Amino acid sequence: MRKIVLVLTALMFIIGCSAKNKPEYNKSDIYWYNKMIYYISANDLDKADDYFTSLQSEHFSSPLLKEALLILAQAHMDEEEYLLAGYYLNEYIKRYATPREMEFAKFLKIKASYLAFKNINRDQKLLDDTIKKAIAYEKSYPNSEYLPMVDTILTKLYMAQYVLDSEIASLYERIGKKKAAKFYKDRLKNSWLKKDQIDVPHSWYEYLVNW
């Protein structure tokens, strides 16, 4: 009798696992959307991304996609996954955003690029690109409610750029690359910032740590 119970228990376990691991497909858009939201709330963004992929694949014209993109972008920003946040924001802007919504989404892109410096010593190109995006934003949206935050970001980026250029110029000077050193010294001369106007930190990206 005990053997029969053990066998039945094992079979029930196997059947349960099989049902659990059964691939999901051909579901409604609200099903995929709710699953995505559930896994975001459970802090499992990999699963949330997978369910968004299913939503997009099976319901490419669903009105839920617009909101889902923005929710995922914000969720990845909250988890400091800024590249993925930027990807979802790009898709949102390209496919759905109205002019007003684009203003907000582009601000989030600038914020995501800026916050990316908080985790890791990013390269100079990202710094330059983020400065260009912030300048373009100020020109495109001079009356934006997000402008004060963009101004703050841009000021911090400028200060970081100044210190970085100074560090690079000093490095090239030490290793005898005079032309390269001169290029970065010229950038410093043309900057609206001056060395006596800022407190030079140990590293250029210390300007970017505090939001």
Side-chain angles (χ1 to χ4, degrees):
M1 187 67 180
R2 183 181 297 176
K3 289 183 179 180
I4 294 173
V5 171
L6 288 174
V7 170
L8 289 173
T9 302
L11 284 172
M12 289 175 66
F13 177 78
I14 292 170
I15 292 169
C17 288
S18 299
K20 186 177 179 181
N21 296 324
K22 185 178 179 180
E24 294 181 292
Y25 57 89
N26 195 27
K27 304 288 187 180
S28 69
D29 57 349
I30 193 66
Y31 173 86
W32 298 122
Y33 179 84
N34 285 339
K35 282 285 192 177
M36 183 197 80
I37 296 298
Y38 171 80
Y39 281 106
I40 289 173
S41 65
N43 205 32
D44 189 343
L45 293 189
D46 287 339
K47 281 276 185 69
D49 289 336
D50 288 343
Y51 280 107
F52 171 79
T53 299
S54 296
L55 168 62
Q56 182 172 237
S57 299
E58 293 194 3
H59 304 279
F60 191 77
S61 299
S62 171
L64 295 174
L65 282 170
K66 179 180 179 179
E67 185 179 348
L69 282 167
L70 204 54
I71 290 172
L72 277 172
Q74 189 62 62
H76 282 288
M77 284 183 68
D78 291 343
E79 291 300 311
E80 301 184 353
E81 297 173 349
Y82 301 112
L83 289 177
L84 274 171
Y87 166 77
Y88 286 118
L89 287 169
N90 283 334
E91 290 298 302
Y92 176 80
I93 290 169
K94 182 171 63 177
R95 292 162 57 180
Y96 300 112
T98 65
R100 175 65 179 155
E101 292 165 340
M102 195 173 294
E103 176 186 334
F104 175 61
K106 286 185 176 180
F107 161 69
L108 286 182
K109 280 192 66 179
I110 292 169
K111 183 179 176 181
S113 293
Y114 167 76
L115 291 175
F117 289 99
K118 296 176 72 171
N119 300 6
I120 190 169
N121 184 351
R122 296 286 185 172
D123 59 29
Q124 187 180 2
K125 185 177 186 306
L126 179 59
L127 181 62
D128 290 341
D129 288 347
T130 308
I131 288 173
K132 290 175 183 176
K133 288 177 185 176
I135 292 172
Y137 187 91
E138 291 186 331
K139 291 179 180 178
S140 298
Y141 307 105
N143 300 314
S144 173
E145 63 182 288
Y146 310 109
L147 205 59
M149 288 177 278
V150 174
D151 284 338
T152 299
I153 289 173
L154 189 55
T155 299
K156 286 177 173 284
L157 292 172
Y158 275 137
M159 292 194 299
Q161 185 184 54
Y162 185 94
V163 178
L164 177 60
D165 288 345
S166 180
E167 290 178 358
I168 294 173
S170 297
L171 174 62
Y172 279 133
E173 192 74 39
R174 289 197 301 271
I175 63 178
K177 293 187 177 291
K178 302 296 183 184
K179 286 185 178 180
K182 182 179 183 303
F183 173 82
Y184 284 97
K185 286 179 179 178
D186 288 342
R187 281 179 56 143
L188 293 171
K189 289 177 184 176
N190 294 328
S191 172
W192 61 272
L193 287 170
K194 300 302 175 189
K195 192 171 183 178
D196 59 357
Q197 293 178 315
I198 58 177
D199 295 323
V200 178
H202 295 296
S203 300
W204 63 273
Y205 52 83
E206 287 181 24
Y207 279 119
L208 306 169
V209 171
N210 297 315
W211 166 245

